[in-house]
Amino acid sequence: MGKDNRFKIPVLKIITNIFSTIWLSKIDLIKKTFIPVLFIVAIGYLENSELVSSSPLMLIFFLIGFASYVLIAVTIHRIVILGSDSAPKFGIQAWTSRETR
């Protein structure tokens, strides 16, 4: 019959480029996600303490932790997709409309 005109996606090249970009940007990734990671560590420590274990503060800690994970994800994706200059020097430190989209 006819010739197959489908475009073949270079999956291996795409995966290699993604890991290469992450490896080359590792210093920026560490520097720009450091503050949200500290929040997550502190919240994890506080959640396991006896003072907070059964109080309404658990919901507040959960929301702060969730927001920190979102900020980390947005920062990492900005660096990988748009380059190191697309995220502020010390990462995203405030919630903007970009994180809500």
Side-chain angles (χ1 to χ4, degrees):
M1 298 274 296
K3 197 169 117 180
D4 191 10
N5 291 330
R6 287 186 283 178
F7 177 72
K8 294 189 179 187
I9 299 173
V11 176
L12 187 59
K13 183 178 178 182
I14 292 170
I15 293 172
T16 305
N17 285 340
I18 289 170
F19 283 108
S20 172
T21 302
I22 292 171
W23 182 257
L24 294 174
S25 303
K26 65 183 175 242
I27 300 299
D28 283 332
L29 287 170
I30 292 169
K31 189 169 38 173
K32 294 179 181 187
T33 59
F34 185 72
I35 293 172
V37 168
L38 281 180
F39 276 117
I40 292 171
V41 169
I43 288 169
Y45 178 75
L46 291 172
E47 283 179 341
N48 291 328
S49 70
E50 292 182 19
L51 299 172
V52 182
S53 62
S54 62
S55 73
L57 288 175
M58 287 296 289
L59 178 62
I60 294 169
F61 286 146
F62 171 77
L63 293 175
I64 292 171
F66 182 77
S68 296
Y69 279 115
V70 170
L71 292 176
I72 289 171
V74 170
T75 301
I76 290 173
H77 282 86
R78 277 188 190 179
I79 292 170
V80 170
I81 295 171
L82 302 174
S84 293
D85 295 335
S86 63
K89 184 176 181 180
F90 293 106
I92 304 166
Q93 297 174 354
W95 196 274
T96 63
S97 63
R98 186 175 220 163
E99 287 75 37
T100 307
R101 285 191 265 172

